[in-house]
Amino acid sequence: HELIPGLLKTTDRERPYWPSSPSIGWGRKESLKSGDCHYWGVWWGMEPFDVYESKVGRFMSEYGFQGFPPLASIYEFTGTSQLTDSTPVLRAHQKHPTGMETIRTYLERDYRPAKDFPSLVYLTQMVQAEGILKAISAHRMHKPYCMGTLYWQLNDSWPGISWSSRDYYGRWKMLHYMMPSAYATLLISVRQTPGELSIYVTSDSLKDYAARMELRVMDVKGNVRWSEIVPAIVKANTTSFICSRNIARNMAAADTMNTFLNVRILQDEKVMCETNHFFCAPKNLRLQRPAMSVRFITDNDGVPAVELK
């Protein structure tokens, strides 16, 4: 803040100098008003994921949440399949001092306890993905106030439990699979307040869209309980408010632990973007085991495929 700018003034008067990025720490409200912002109230501050919806800066250049790498990677760097989250070799590859405990705290807020270690690995990736998706949705929804969102982090420099979406070996976590839709040209955001749902569409396109929005309250079996189609004018390079609906009136006959809201933007008959909004935490959903079989086959061209029935 003193030595470097002083030297630059005497050696290079033409080049600008900024001492820190971001210039203001995440614990101060000023950090959300100018420059870029690193927000760690989620994870370091143990705040719930919903806080992302209100803590939005002008450019969100760092935020994140840890998830376990895929099982194949864990077995590779630990050398064993006999694992729990307290196994010494696994904890040695967790470089945050309270990382395991932090992950478990967030997991227990939204999900039921894992039945075994592979289930725990899967659930930590679910928690990571859902948390970061909520952050990206909030940041993009605030366009043009917020004009950038970069999650921490893409990859790893060594194998371990970390904030990355791709692990050290290049294997994808669930978060990485979700990034194409999170950063798609069009993104639907649903915000729920007591008694009301508000729906927005963020567009990175440089042209307007005249489309229609389809709202459907569906149960977990796929039955439509309520539906409506509304016109949707999606403005270029900004966020457009589309509509709001009274929950009590439209959800009066629905069980919120058995239903969800499906929202789609359609132009002609093409689905431009789609999202699902749930009315309760995943651990409270009354999901049913599907009558489905999975079989690995080879198609007519000799390419491996998966057959679902």
Side-chain angles (χ1 to χ4, degrees), residues 39-183:
Y39 188 73
W40 287 101
V42 172
W43 182 264
W44 284 96
M46 300 294 288
E47 295 175 341
F49 289 129
D50 288 344
V51 168
Y52 279 134
E53 295 179 359
S54 58
K55 301 291 186 177
V56 179
R58 307 307 304 271
F59 193 109
M60 302 300 292
S61 58
E62 189 181 290
Y63 54 91
F65 195 88
Q66 281 193 354
F68 281 41
L71 273 173
S73 296
I74 294 175
Y75 294 157
E76 193 164 344
F77 70 74
T78 62
T80 179
S81 61
Q82 305 302 310
L83 292 162
T84 70
D85 62 352
S86 60
T87 300
V89 65
L90 190 65
R91 296 190 76 92
H93 286 257
Q94 164 60 274
K95 291 305 180 183
H96 188 280
T98 61
M100 295 295 199
E101 292 72 24
T102 299
I103 292 173
R104 189 170 289 279
T105 296
Y106 277 86
L107 192 154
E108 291 174 353
R109 290 176 184 176
D110 289 333
Y111 292 89
R112 299 171 188 174
K115 64 181 180 180
D116 51 31
F117 184 74
S119 298
L120 176 65
V121 171
Y122 180 84
L123 285 176
T124 67
Q125 291 195 19
M126 284 284 292
V127 173
Q128 180 192 34
E130 291 298 327
I132 299 307
L133 284 175
K134 183 165 286 191
I136 293 171
S137 174
H139 302 158
R140 294 192 62 192
M141 194 194 83
H142 280 78
K143 189 176 186 175
Y145 181 84
C146 177
M147 289 297 285
T149 176
L150 302 171
Y151 69 91
W152 180 268
Q153 68 204 65
L154 176 65
N155 55 9
D156 281 325
S157 60
W158 84 308
I161 301 163
S162 80
W163 299 265
S164 72
S165 61
R166 295 172 70 247
D167 71 16
Y168 172 76
Y169 304 100
R171 296 187 178 104
W172 293 17
K173 299 180 186 178
M174 194 178 302
L175 172 62
H176 207 75
Y177 284 100
M178 293 183 174
M179 286 302 95
S181 58
Y183 285 113

Side-chain angles (χ1 to χ4, degrees), residues 2-47:
E2 296 179 6
L3 178 61
I4 295 176
L7 289 171
L8 286 175
K9 284 182 179 179
T10 61
T11 58
D12 187 350
R13 292 180 176 273
E14 296 181 359
R15 217 168 303 274
Y17 173 73
W18 192 256
S20 177
S21 175
S23 60
I24 305 171
W26 64 264
R28 296 169 57 187
K29 61 182 181 181
E30 293 84 1
S31 67
L32 302 175
K33 296 181 179 180
S34 63
D36 68 319
C37 177
H38 292 186
Y39 188 73
W40 287 101
V42 172
W43 182 264
W44 284 96
M46 300 294 288
E47 295 175 341

Side-chain angles (χ1 to χ4, degrees), residues 169-304:
Y169 304 100
R171 296 187 178 104
W172 293 17
K173 299 180 186 178
M174 194 178 302
L175 172 62
H176 207 75
Y177 284 100
M178 293 183 174
M179 286 302 95
S181 58
Y183 285 113
T185 302
L186 298 179
L187 179 74
I188 299 171
S189 299
V190 181
R191 293 294 173 263
Q192 181 173 338
T193 56
E196 190 170 77
L197 289 172
S198 299
I199 303 172
Y200 304 81
V201 177
T202 300
S203 174
D204 286 345
S205 173
L206 298 182
K207 66 177 183 178
D208 295 346
Y209 285 98
R212 68 184 192 276
M213 176 176 283
E214 182 181 55
L215 311 175
R216 298 185 297 174
V217 174
M218 307 173 68
D219 64 25
V220 294
K221 292 183 178 180
N223 300 310
V224 178
R225 301 288 189 86
W226 169 85
S227 66
E228 182 182 2
I229 294 178
V230 297
I233 304 300
V234 181
K235 294 292 186 180
N237 203 30
T238 191
T239 293
S240 303
F241 168 74
I242 304 300
C243 67
S244 61
R245 290 296 180 265
N246 182 285
I247 298 175
R249 182 172 65 249
N250 297 324
M251 294 287 297
D255 179 355
T256 56
M257 292 187 288
N258 188 47
T259 56
F260 61 94
L261 175 68
N262 174 260
V263 186
R264 302 194 298 177
I265 290 287
L266 300 102
Q267 193 173 50
D268 298 326
E269 295 305 316
K270 181 181 179 182
V271 177
M272 306 292 290
C273 59
E274 182 175 8
T275 193
N276 293 320
H277 173 78
F278 294 89
F279 301 103
C280 64
K283 65 182 178 182
N284 295 324
L285 287 171
R286 295 197 182 113
L287 301 176
Q288 300 182 8
R289 186 177 297 277
M292 182 174 64
S293 64
V294 181
R295 189 165 67 100
F296 293 94
I297 62 173
T298 301
D299 65 17
N300 295 332
D301 297 322
V303 178

